[in-house]
Amino acid sequence: MKLLEARFVTSAVDAGGIPRDGIPHVAFVGRSNVGKSSLINALTRESLARTSAAAGKTRLANLYRLSVEGGPGGPGQWTVYFADLPGYGYARGGRESVAELAQIADAYFTGGHPIAGVLHLVDARHPGLEADLEAATWLQSLGVTRAVIATKFDKLARNDRVKNLKEFERQLGTAARPISATSGEGLDDLWTLIARLIRQP
């Protein structure tokens, strides 16, 4: 599998700002500062997505278009949008800001564009966070294909790795895939998953 091109397309504040070209989306959903932008940059090996130490700065649905060659399903070129959605669980600006982020996310999922799957990012170090549990329930209600991605896995002590993954699976109802944007652990497997979502719906 080879990434041919990756580029930023737009920041959408509502469904009207999302391209309607039939290209399937993979949405990145997670708490603010869970590492959505860092993971996109690690997958593309480019500084496409802005990262910030200040949580709650992604206030739009940021869309990136990728062209890829090969992968599960055989040879051939395919295209996907990565959608970096606003982080939940924290927002600068109080309740009005939180409501604004929720409105943007809701508009994204009701926009009528094809969504091949959702990557629900959780911090591998912190199973059981209320915001993550609520988000999992919300995603299940949408009826979209979802995968749980446990980010920052390199920061876990070795004896906590299996324990935390089992806890996430128990709480969220599906296995969590360990990922590290820093060390690269799990990135190849995640690309395989993304290719399957797009090429074998």
Side-chain angles (χ1 to χ4, degrees), residues 123-143:
D123 190 321
R125 301 168 295 178
H126 304 300
L129 294 179
E130 184 178 355
D132 287 335
L133 301 178
E134 290 177 351
T137 300
W138 172 58
L139 290 171
Q140 285 174 328
S141 74
L142 295 174

Side-chain angles (χ1 to χ4, degrees), residues 68-87:
V68 186
E69 170 70 35
Q77 188 173 331
W78 49 278
T79 308
V80 59
Y81 282 116
F82 283 178
D84 181 6
L85 299 189

Side-chain angles (χ1 to χ4, degrees), residues 3-15:
L3 179 62
L4 302 176
E5 181 187 27
R7 60 184 176 88
F8 171 76
V9 176
T10 188
S11 290
V13 294
D14 56 32

